[in-house]
Amino acid sequence: MALSLALARALAEGRSQFNTRVVEAKRRYPSLDTAAFGAFLQIAVDPLINSVASVAPERTAAVTAIAYDIALDLVGQGFAGAGTRSLLLDRAWRVVTPQYARLIADRPLEVLGNLTNALIHVEKMQPRRAGEWLQRMHDLAPHAQSVGHLRALGQIAAWRSGLAHFREGAIRVAAELPAPAALAAIGAPAEMQWATVHDQLLANPWWQPGGDGASPITLGAFSGFGGAFKAPPELRALGANFVVKSGEHYNLLVADGCGAILLPASIEDFRLGTASQAPTMHGTALIIGTRRIEIDLPAAGLAVALSTHTIAVTSPYTFAVQLYPQL
Amino acid sequence: MASFNIFQRISRAPTNPKPATISRQFDVADLYQGPVLTGSAVPQSDRPLDEKLRQAYFWIVNNAIVSPHYDIEYNEGPAQTYVVGDSKRILTLPSAQSYSSFILLPLLTFATRRKCLFVGGPGRGKTASAILMGVLAGYSVREMRRAMQHGHPQMTIADLLGNPLPADLVSAQSMNDIRIAWRTWLAMRVKIVDEYNRIPTRTQSALLTVMGDNYAEVLNHIYECPDSAWFLTANDDQGGGTYQVIEALRDRIDVIVQALPFNPRFLGDLLVRVEENIKPEEMVPPEIIFSEAEIDQAGDEIRGIEVPPEVRRRLEFFASQFELFEAAGVQFEYMTKDTARLSGTDWAQVAATDNGRDRLKDLGCQTLNGLSVRNLMTLLIFSKALAYFRGNRAVHLDDVRQILPFVLYDKLQPYEEAPFFALPENAAYRTDRLSWLRRLFDLSNEEFNRLDLDRSDTVNELSLEFSKGLDGVTERAARAQLARIERLVSERIKGRKLYGHLYDDLLKLKYLHQRYTNYLHWLRSQ
């Protein structure tokens, strides 16, 4: 596959400098795979440069220089190329960054850096849902009028892709965006009033703007099968969240209608929490206030912890935590 | 195109991560931090100073010093160990974050504004490390190089401190009329004296005044120096310099660090420096440079680190081992090594009369002296500094164990004729003083455990009771305490053998007895 004319010309014009950069990068990253770097240039950088050349041809050389350096860093650190640490980086550069060509032409380092870093962070925190984040960033590109907008959209998309701890910050930055951008980022229909959406989001973490009720969430599995827990987890409610003890490890569990996530916590946090209790059962259903939740676990050892908006159910017979909205 | 800044990256991840606390979790800045540096990182001013100190350490380890040796070992759980060679030495792969003394000790000296001596052969980075410390304090490399004092046999006091102005010398009617052109290095917060053992003895005395009392004097004029960190270097601290270093000057040095040899496996890193023409000391990232206020604050925070009573007790027990010299005195208080030393008597002759005890087991037999108050204060402050550097709020026993050999390096003198050194397995301790000192501390702790002093320490209980004060103590209660002290003395001397820790316990009991006796006298007079 040949390089586009735009990238080929930019590389040819700065050939000696670009070659020097590779030599320098090889000193910094002795295992730098130059073949993988070449492939990344061709597959991932080329579509971006081509897009930049079409919207701001005078910025092609500058963007190429910065994209080239970032690509060297990414390949050198193993985020791209053979045995990559990021499964989606190629796709992000190939498919998503061209959507931001105009913004990249103005602020190449910030936009490429923010998109790349955020993708790697979401992949680390919610590996199964990073694709969702990427798709959202692709779809939201027309709303990103500045780097500030891009960062806000990225944060909202990260929250909606399962980084539940970003929820409060995401709602706050959404309120600072133009209403159409905020509604699109939240996933609300364009005809809704932002003020209504905003109030609902603040009132109930499990509220979904699309109108569908929030679905229960199952979190965690045995670590031997790639899950998060070495032992069946024990939960304590701590305000709006939970603290999970599994073996000797402690995590903070943050959950809302967009997903649930485990973050590091300490034994002190666990001690501060309110212990789980044995639930009231009616046949195979848990009875919590006016709620009735059908459950497919043995009644023996079932434990329920209640946070401000969430019901968490654990059992000695499973490594997973079941999460339900309170209302 | 900007440079890749090979030498200017500092650690952005926590350098010594601790179990997370929940307040840290919700920082959205995490989302945009990653492998691409966008210039929008978290403001560095938000960092705690202990983190900044660690970042400085790791920058030096990773960029400035090639081939660091991890000789300050910490473990969490069992470490992997290997027995190597005919001498059956132990190679340990530590299971926790461990450190290089050659970098860590100067950094702690910098943070506490103490005095550090680098020893080791030429070309091992002693001066370069000292200059780096100056750069961390905000000075340029050029300023540090110009301010560095190079010891040489013709160095005069005027070379060191400053000259009287020639015109004033001619016209002055009194000493007060003579103005002094003080040397600029005296005003600096990091002071470097290169090859201090080449300075003539008389000039060493002037240096002693500056180091010890923080002022300089020329022709009756005084220059008050600011508090500063001192870094001295010597190619050979065992007497190989041009001049013998006066004892008082050596005693002012708080820690001694040995520059270990270069490992040729790291030659590639040297090659990069040659090819890139890079001097790391000229590329210190601004994020790790400390302002004067920050060093002040770090010093305050270090002093605020707790030394728990159980750690302090073990240190007391260790320090008790060395001063007793039973054969040196008649009166109880004078049975010390200091008495023997002051008398000028032949040491071996007095030592030969010291029999009856297990001289292999008695740690005191291994040394020619005891510990001074200054040594103990230095040990405390550096233990606190190490705990602070590790992100802890209290000193652990391991911190004392690791720092102790560098503080006592030339303070606790080995008595090489002692039976301990005659054992084949201990012969290497004659040359490896750091390991010997650490071994001494380990042996002291083993004895402390054997005596079960963590759980049963009656002298400590009596001291705690006394520390509550005598206000309101009745005559009956005071008499009961006196009887208890007398009974305890009788019990403690039943074993007949006198060891250092027992000697100090008996002196402490005597002190308590005297305080209660005086109190009783006062009570009766009311």
Side-chain angles (χ1 to χ4, degrees), chain B residues 271-300:
Chain B
L271 187 62
V272 171
R273 289 184 190 191
V274 171
E275 291 174 350
E276 297 287 333
N277 194 23
I278 283 172
K279 290 177 183 154
E281 63 268 29
E282 290 172 356
M283 307 199 71
V284 175
E287 296 93 327
I288 58 170
I289 289 176
F290 286 73
S291 67
E292 189 174 352
E294 283 178 323
I295 304 173
D296 286 342
Q297 189 188 333
D300 289 344

Side-chain angles (χ1 to χ4, degrees), chain B residues 322-325 336-341 347 364 367-370:
Chain B
F322 305 107
E323 194 55 72
L324 172 68
F325 196 3
T336 63
K337 287 174 182 163
D338 220 26
T339 308
R341 198 177 60 86
W347 190 271
T367 71
L368 291 169
N369 58 340

Side-chain angles (χ1 to χ4, degrees), chain B residues 346-396:
Chain B
D346 178 50
W347 190 271
Q349 199 181 339
V350 187
T353 63
D354 183 26
N355 55 21
R357 280 176 296 157
D358 183 346
R359 302 192 71 229
L360 202 56
K361 190 178 148 197
D362 184 4
L363 301 185
C365 291
Q366 294 181 36
T367 71
L368 291 169
N369 58 340
L371 295 178
S372 70
V373 173
R374 186 181 291 134
N375 301 156
L376 289 170
M377 287 172 73
T378 307
L379 191 49
L380 286 171
I381 195 75
F382 272 88
S383 299
K384 282 172 177 252
L386 181 54
Y388 176 78
F389 176 83
R390 295 179 66 218
N392 296 326
R393 292 292 160 254
V395 173
H396 292 196

